[in-house]
C-alpha cells in the first residue's frame, strides 16, 4: 500500500436535498486544509435527502473528527466515518480510447477481463464503461494507456456499509 492510499479516508453524509448544502460541506472541509480526493452526491430513496460519499486525503484517525464537525451543520442529518467497516465501494468510469481495426480485439480482451462494456464505437475510438473499486479502474486505465486514452470521466467512489446497519 502506498503512502497516498494510506492517507485516504471515507465519510458518508446524509444531507437535506437543497441548494447550497454541497458548498457548505465542501467549505467546511476546505477550511481544515484537507483535499477532497473524490466526492459523489445523489438523492436517496427519500427525495428530500441526498447522500454524499466524500473521500478525503487525511489519515483515517482524523476521519471521525471530520464526521463530528459535519454533524454540526444544520443541513447534515448523519455523517459516518466508514473506514474500518465492511463496505461495498464502487466507482464508474467512462474511458474513450483510440481503437483502430487492428487494435479493437486487444481492447475487447482487456474489457472482458475487467468486465467492462463497450458503450460506443467509431472508426477511430472505442468508449468503455467500467465499474468497481478505484484500484480496478486504475488497472484498466494502465492497460489501455498504450492505445492512447483520449478522455476519462470518473464518478468518484460511492459506499454503503454491508448488511442491515445504516451507513
Amino acid at each position: 500500500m502506498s503512502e497516498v492510499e494510506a492517507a485516504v479516508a471515507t465519510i458518508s453524509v446524509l444531507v437535506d436535498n437543497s441548494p447550497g448544502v454541497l458548498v457548505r460541506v465542501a467549505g467546511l472541509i476546505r477550511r481544515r486544509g484537507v483535499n477532497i480526493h473524490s466526492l459523489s452526491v445523489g438523492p436517496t430513496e427519500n427525495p428530500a435527502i441526498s447522500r454524499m460519499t466524500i473521500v478525503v486525503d487525511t489519515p483515517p484517525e482524523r476521519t471521525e473528527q471530520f464526521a463530528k464537525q459535519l454533524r454540526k451543520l444544520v443541513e447534515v442529518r448523519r455523517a459516518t466515518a466508514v473506514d474500518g467497516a465492511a463496505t461495498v465501494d464502487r466507482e464508474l468510469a467512462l474511458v474513450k480510447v483510440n481503437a483502430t481495426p487492428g487494435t479493437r480485439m486487444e481492447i475487447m480482451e482487456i474489457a472482458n477481463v475487467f468486465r467492462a462494456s463497450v458503450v460506443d464505437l467509431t472508426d477511430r475510438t472505442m468508449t468503455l464503461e467500467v465499474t468497481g473499486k478505484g484500484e480496478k479502474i486504475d488497472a484498466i486505465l494502465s492497460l489501455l494507456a498504450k492505445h492512447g486514452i483520449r478522455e476519462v470521466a470518473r464518478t468518484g467512489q460511492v459506499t454503503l456499509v454491508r448488511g442491515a446497519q445504516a451507513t
Side-chain angles (χ1 to χ4, degrees), residues 5-149:
E5 291 171 321
V8 173
T10 305
I11 305 169
S12 178
V13 186
L14 293 177
V15 298
D16 293 341
N17 188 6
S18 60
V21 174
L22 175 61
V23 170
R24 292 192 58 154
V25 169
L28 184 144
I29 294 170
R30 180 191 55 79
R31 287 190 299 275
R32 281 15 176 221
V34 173
N35 184 45
I36 296 175
H37 184 75
S38 79
L39 172 66
S40 62
V41 183
T44 65
E45 65 283 0
N46 180 346
I49 299 173
S50 291
R51 179 181 306 277
M52 295 182 174
T53 303
I54 307 168
V55 179
V56 290
D57 292 336
T58 188
E61 59 269 15
R62 288 189 59 202
T63 312
E64 184 56 38
Q65 178 185 2
F66 275 107
K68 287 179 182 175
Q69 292 169 342
L70 288 167
R71 288 180 203 129
K72 294 178 182 175
L73 297 176
V74 172
E75 300 91 346
V76 172
R77 295 175 177 227
R78 184 184 317 150
T80 307
V82 295
D83 292 314
T87 59
V88 178
D89 308 310
R90 293 291 183 270
E91 186 174 336
L92 179 140
L94 294 175
V95 184
K96 186 184 300 181
V97 61
N98 292 324
T100 63
T103 61
R104 285 187 187 144
M105 286 307 297
E106 183 179 349
I107 294 169
M108 291 290 293
E109 289 174 11
I110 293 169
N112 287 337
V113 168
F114 287 89
R115 296 181 185 162
S117 301
V118 177
V119 293
D120 187 47
L121 178 66
T122 69
D123 58 338
R124 295 183 183 172
T125 64
M126 185 180 287
T127 302
L128 304 176
E129 173 189 311
V130 60
T131 59
K133 291 193 171 234
E135 297 86 9
K136 175 183 174 182
I137 293 169
D138 292 341
I140 194 171
L141 290 174
S142 174
L143 290 174
L144 292 173
K146 72 178 182 182
H147 296 287
I149 295 173

